Amino acid sequence: MRFGSTGYMSMKFEMKSNNKSNQTMKILRTRDSFLLLVLALSAMISYGSDDNGMDCPDPTNADCDQIGDDPQDDDPVVLEPTLLSVAPVTGPKHTEVVITGKNFGTDPDKVSVSFNGTPGEVLGVTDTEVTVRVPARAHTGPITMEVDGFDLTGPEFVYELTYTVETFAGTPGEPGFLDGKGTAAKFNQPWDLVKDSGGNIFVVDRNNHAIRKITPQGVVSTFMKEGGEDGGEQKRFDYPQGLAIDGDDNIYVADSGIDRIIMIDPDRVWTNIAGAGQEGYKDGTGTNAEFKNPAAILVGEDAGGSALYVSEDNHAIRRISLDDGQYTVSTYAGPAPEITEREGYVDGGLSEARFSFPSGMAKSGEGTILIADLANSRIRAIDQDAGTVGTFAGGEEGGYVNDVHRLDARFYGPSDVSVAGDGTVYVADADNSCIRRIDSEGHVTTIGIYDSFDYNDGPGAEAKFNYPMGVLHGEEGEIYVADTDNNVIRKIIID
């Protein structure tokens, strides 16, 4: 019995030992599983930490590892930037614009902003905000950004032009005849302007019976005034009024007081190409033709080839051929010479149209000539392809109505027009003593104080003119004005 009891107890003890071993194994397995889980979690967390295992909340930190990359590398986390808002979205040059968004970073060297393709000046960068200054002459167009290689597009920025008027040449309010630089020079009734291929401005100095030259630096000299003609000493010009220039820098002068058209080549060789030197109205060849106070000249072309167009006091537009070698003169628009009742206001075919002292002219795109119809206080348009005359701007009576569509606007004695490359038209509104601007959509605004008849440089809203007779769009951002009764040449800078 004892032997049996001892065997039973031994077997019972062995069973207990086995149970205890099994429990121990289970505990070890559970512990190992937990450790493996901890290790896995640690590995996952390490992908978003720096190499020391620290958290990496700043995605621009160069010590942070790229998610999913080797945890030992130093590639930064790059989060895609987002543009959320822009304010303001309209303004002139140098407006400070704030762009808000996400993930811009803090390095200004990695951020650029452009307005209509023109880079602005980045003033400050945070991860959620960029401040930038609008560049000059950006014009209206979209805002675009580049942030560390990412391209973003924002809303359209409406660019507001600014105008600054300064005196380019001449002594304000002091008529005279003196060469010199800038305001040291003197003019007497400057009337019209052209610009040559070298950037020089040529001016009809009417009461000095001369053509003056102004270099881009503002140095004034006398291009042509007096000289020998037919062996005698006499003025080459008598109250010249209009100027034109061709692609070879030949200058054409409407010598109003002697009723003729003069050509001066770049070597200053002087030729009377049309007009008999006496007042009249006759078509013909060269000096056999007759004019009456020719006012303005335009170089152009039509179906008949290259030509000069001349406005004059016969209330007509005359044409001088430049291709036939004889400078044949014909009537292009307005009444024919045999018609005695010439002055009026009529739109229609070229021969049916009527003008009243047409003055300055300009080409507008292909096949259109704009005319300052002075006494009708309108801007007229010749459609060369259709052979018709219409009204481009102005209404039934002279006056001043601004900030409206061109056909609702009112002008008073407009004397000259000039057209920029973008189609903007500038008008010397002489009797309103200001410069008018007609944009490509036909909206009319004013540069200078209307009806001031005075002199003042400064911002466009504060500038003053005195019977400006000539206007010339020189190049991008520049307009020149023959400010006739102030006896100076003004320059309008457009930004």
Side-chain angles (χ1 to χ4, degrees), residues 31-45:
R31 185 193 65 185
D32 291 343
S33 298
F34 176 78
L35 290 174
L36 288 172
L37 179 61
V38 170
L39 289 172
L41 290 172
S42 298
M44 292 174 65
I45 293 172

Side-chain angles (χ1 to χ4, degrees), residues 46-47 50-51 65 69-75:
S46 69
Y47 290 137
D50 62 22
D51 291 340
D65 294 326
D69 254 349
D70 182 346
Q72 298 304 315
D73 68 22
D74 289 324
D75 293 336

Side-chain angles (χ1 to χ4, degrees), residues 37-306:
L37 179 61
V38 170
L39 289 172
L41 290 172
S42 298
M44 292 174 65
I45 293 172
S46 69
Y47 290 137
S49 305
D50 62 22
D51 291 340
N52 295 318
M54 300 297 291
D55 289 339
C56 185
D58 182 1
T60 64
N61 186 345
D63 293 329
C64 295
D65 294 326
Q66 179 72 30
I67 293 176
D69 254 349
D70 182 346
Q72 298 304 315
D73 68 22
D74 289 324
D75 293 336
V77 174
V78 179
L79 300 179
E80 185 171 349
T82 303
L83 190 156
L84 297 177
S85 66
V86 177
V89 291
T90 183
K93 65 177 181 178
H94 301 160
T95 298
E96 291 190 8
V97 173
V98 176
I99 302 172
T100 59
K102 297 178 181 179
N103 305 321
F104 293 148
T106 57
D107 187 350
D109 292 334
K110 294 183 178 181
V111 178
S112 63
V113 181
S114 294
F115 296 80
N116 195 34
T118 303
E121 180 185 359
V122 175
L123 303 175
V125 177
T126 71
D127 198 48
T128 59
E129 189 173 279
V130 173
T131 303
V132 60
R133 181 177 288 136
V134 176
R137 302 179 189 177
H139 303 294
T140 297
I143 297 173
T144 55
M145 292 183 70
E146 183 177 336
V147 180
D148 199 15
F150 290 93
D151 294 324
L152 305 173
T153 301
E156 181 179 78
F157 186 85
V158 178
Y159 187 86
E160 298 174 353
L161 293 172
T162 60
Y163 304 89
T164 303
V165 180
E166 60 183 39
T167 300
F168 184 56
T171 305
E174 294 186 19
F177 181 72
L178 183 66
D179 290 339
K181 185 173 183 179
T183 56
K186 291 186 178 182
F187 299 85
N188 193 343
Q189 296 276 291
W191 206 271
D192 197 13
L193 320 91
V194 294
K195 189 175 186 179
D196 73 4
S197 60
N200 301 294
I201 303 291
F202 292 84
V203 181
V204 168
D205 194 3
R206 192 169 190 268
N207 284 5
N208 280 322
H209 312 283
I211 309 300
R212 312 289 290 281
K213 176 182 176 181
I214 312 174
T215 68
Q217 295 75 35
V219 177
V220 179
S221 60
T222 300
F223 181 69
M224 186 163 286
K225 185 178 189 294
E226 295 180 352
E229 181 179 321
D230 298 330
E233 287 293 327
Q234 66 178 54
K235 290 184 175 65
R236 285 187 179 271
F237 306 108
D238 188 16
Y239 297 104
Q241 189 163 320
L243 282 182
I245 192 165
D246 65 20
D248 296 323
D249 286 341
N250 296 304
I251 294 174
Y252 302 91
V253 184
D255 195 9
S256 184
I258 311 182
D259 303 296
R260 60 187 179 179
I261 307 301
I262 305 299
M263 182 180 77
I264 308 170
D265 71 14
D267 295 325
R268 301 205 303 174
V269 175
W270 180 96
T271 306
N272 179 13
I273 63 171
Q278 64 182 25
E279 181 181 304
Y281 190 11
K282 184 174 75 173
D283 290 339
T285 301
T287 55
N288 293 317
E290 293 179 353
F291 297 88
K292 181 180 180 181
N293 297 326
I297 310 176
L298 174 68
V299 176
E301 59 182 29
D302 52 34
S306 299

